[in-house]
Amino acid sequence: MIRIIVLVLILGGLYTNIADAHGFGGSGFLHPLTGVDHLVAMLAVGVWSAQIGGKAIYIVPSCFVLMMLLGGIVGLEGWLWSHLEVYIACSVCLLALAIVWNRQQSVWIASCGVALFGFAHGYAHGLEIPLLLSPAVYITGFLITTIGLHVIGAVGGLLILEEPKGAIRLRGIGIVILIVGLKLIFF
């Protein structure tokens, strides 16, 4: 399983740049899957919540999703946020560093951090809602996909942590995510 996760992250990171991160209108369900920045960030939130453990497994991703909803609604207004893509790429790097750092973190601190990231990701989604689609349907779609990616990241993280040297393997996944994030920022 870990090999599959690492392979997906590496292959996704090889063929993306900040301009590729967004731009697919499609359905709200598909949107989080079409930009490696969103895909990796959503999985990383789940992995980090599993790494923290306890109540973080559901509180941290829930804060991300709630603020993503708010960001999506604000993004509908079309206000410009300069350097939004760079901020989102930085959120990928910061999530990766949290996984690599692997320190017991306060659920409150982790929740506040991912809430800021969730708002930015939601805002980007809200800006890109196709004119032909209902905003409510589109937002519902990207929230459902986001929740699914959080669950995949959390369950994957928990399963990896049960393996011998699982904590080290999760940190390795964090390094791969960091490389993807740095590529998004600099290339």
Side-chain angles (χ1 to χ4, degrees):
M1 177 171 177
I2 189 166
R3 291 182 181 128
I4 293 170
I5 293 171
V6 171
L7 182 62
V8 167
L9 293 173
I10 290 172
L11 290 176
L14 290 176
Y15 298 106
T16 63
N17 62 45
I18 239 171
D20 293 334
H22 299 101
F24 169 75
S27 74
F29 290 103
L30 293 176
H31 190 85
L33 302 174
T34 62
V36 75
D37 57 345
H38 291 287
L39 178 65
V40 172
M42 309 304 169
L43 292 170
V45 168
V47 168
W48 191 31
S49 69
Q51 199 176 39
I52 296 168
K55 292 180 181 180
I57 199 96
Y58 61 89
I59 292 174
V60 171
S62 295
C63 286
F64 187 100
V65 170
L66 290 173
M67 289 303 288
M68 189 174 187
L69 170 62
L70 180 61
I73 292 168
V74 172
L76 283 171
E77 298 300 318
W79 297 326
L80 294 179
W81 179 349
S82 62
H83 308 296
L84 176 62
E85 294 299 333
V86 174
Y87 182 84
I88 289 173
C90 287
S91 75
V92 172
C93 292
L94 291 171
L95 286 164
L97 288 172
I99 293 168
V100 171
W101 190 31
N102 191 24
R103 298 289 187 268
Q104 276 300 35
Q105 199 57 254
S106 155
V107 174
W108 169 252
I109 291 171
S111 296
C112 289
V114 299
L116 293 172
F117 303 155
F119 183 86
H121 285 262
Y123 187 88
H125 288 313
L127 283 175
E128 297 166 350
I129 294 177
L131 296 175
L132 300 175
L133 294 179
S134 159
V137 170
Y138 191 85
I139 289 172
T140 300
F142 74 65
L143 290 176
I144 289 170
T145 302
T146 295
I147 292 166
L149 290 168
H150 287 330
V151 169
I152 291 168
V155 170
L158 290 172
L159 291 173
I160 291 168
L161 285 171
E162 289 181 358
E163 296 175 4
K165 299 185 182 179
I168 294 170
R169 289 182 179 176
L170 271 188
R171 294 173 90 179
I173 289 172
I175 291 169
V176 171
I177 294 169
L178 179 61
I179 292 167
V180 170
L182 290 172
K183 184 182 181 308
L184 287 168
I185 292 171
F186 295 111
F187 301 106

